[in-house]
């Protein structure tokens, strides 16, 4: 008896675009550069009918009002890795960070998705989403130091370590283009520029 061959389901154009990350914005920058603040301002200026979504991060530390995150224990974070719950995950400054796999559903639904990523793990994100839009939030060192002290989250030694890491080079894949988004003045200015970029990615 000849075996019955079942053809794989056709991939829709929207699903194919989601897999490549054509409407995914990978926002990155040094700790304290103001990414969470920019994303909060962006949310307040979105129009009700604009399908632009900011993904929250899963982090192994208590969440705060300053960032959009969900706190997980180390055990729960690993359990979710094992269950395939993360589209992306990485380790930095002694903490685990994850972006939920739900962003693939949002992308397939023609939404523009913005994630708060890591410069050191850009290559990882680009490998999964080769058409992503990479944006680095840049800040003057003096401004960065002031912001780190004001948020009161780290010790003096930890702040110094973050300032040193801020100027370290990171790997940019050969086929990936990174745009700079300066954030040295009022956060509304940079948030407005970020929103313009997101709107350009919306489907016509």
């Amino acid at each position: 008896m000849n075996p019955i061959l079942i053809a794989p389901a056709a991939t829709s154009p929207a699903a194919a675009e989601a897999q490549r990350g054509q409407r995914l914005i990978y926002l990155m920058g040094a700790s304290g550069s103001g990414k969470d603040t920019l994303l909060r301002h962006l949310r307040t200026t979105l129009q009700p009918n604009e399908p632009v979504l900011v993904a929250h991060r899963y982090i192994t530390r208590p969440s705060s009002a300053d960032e959009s995150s969900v706190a997980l224990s180390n055990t729960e974070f690993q359990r979710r890795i094992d269950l395939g719950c993360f589209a992306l995950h990485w380790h930095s400054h002694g903490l685990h960070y994850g972006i939920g796999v739900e962003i693939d559903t949002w992308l397939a639904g023609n939404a523009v998705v913005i994630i708060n990523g890591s410069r050191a793990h850009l290559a990882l994100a680009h490998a999964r989403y080769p058409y992503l839009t990479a944006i680095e939030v840049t800040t003057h060192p003096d401004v960065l130091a002031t912001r780190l002290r004001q948020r009161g989250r780290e010790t003096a030694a930890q702040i110094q370590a973050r300032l040193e890491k801020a100027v370290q080079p990171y790997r940019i894949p050969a086929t990936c283009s990174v745009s700079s988004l300066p954030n040295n003045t009022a956060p509304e200015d940079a948030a407005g520029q970020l929103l313009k970029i997101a709107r350009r990615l919306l489907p016509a």
Side-chain angles (χ1 to χ4, degrees), residues 18-21 24 87-88 103-104 107 125-132:
Q19 291 169 3
R20 295 190 293 265
L24 178 66
L88 298 167
I103 69 170
D104 289 341
L107 291 167
H126 187 263
R128 174 155 182 162
Y129 302 102
Y131 290 177
L132 61 77

Side-chain angles (χ1 to χ4, degrees), residues 180-195:
S180 177
L181 180 62
N183 183 32
N184 295 302
T185 56
E188 294 87 347
D189 298 337
Q193 293 301 313
L194 178 60
L195 182 55

Side-chain angles (χ1 to χ4, degrees), residues 136-172:
E136 181 181 8
V137 179
T138 57
T139 312
H140 189 279
D142 292 341
V143 176
L144 183 61
T146 298
R147 289 175 179 169
L148 288 172
R149 288 193 295 267
Q150 288 177 341
R151 72 183 186 179
R153 188 187 298 167
E154 297 92 0
T155 64
Q158 290 172 328
I159 288 174
Q160 184 59 38
R162 290 183 181 272
L163 290 173
E164 292 173 358
K165 186 175 181 180
V167 296
Q168 292 176 354
Y170 60 95
R171 181 189 167 201
I172 300 177

Side-chain angles (χ1 to χ4, degrees), residues 53-126:
L53 298 172
V54 178
H56 53 254
R57 296 190 296 181
Y58 299 87
I59 311 178
T60 53
R61 72 164 175 233
S63 58
S64 70
D66 295 331
E67 60 183 355
S68 178
S69 65
V70 176
L72 297 177
S73 67
N74 285 305
T75 300
E76 178 64 14
F77 196 96
Q78 183 58 53
R79 191 174 80 91
R80 295 194 185 202
I81 291 177
D82 296 339
L83 290 171
C85 296
F86 295 129
L88 298 167
H89 63 87
W90 62 90
H91 184 265
S92 180
H93 295 291
L95 299 169
H96 294 284
Y97 296 79
I99 302 295
V101 75
E102 62 268 18
I103 69 170
D104 289 341
T105 300
W106 301 348
L107 291 167
N110 288 328
V112 171
V113 177
I114 307 174
I115 63 176
N116 188 340
S118 162
R119 294 174 302 163
H121 297 84
L122 171 61
L124 174 72
H126 187 263

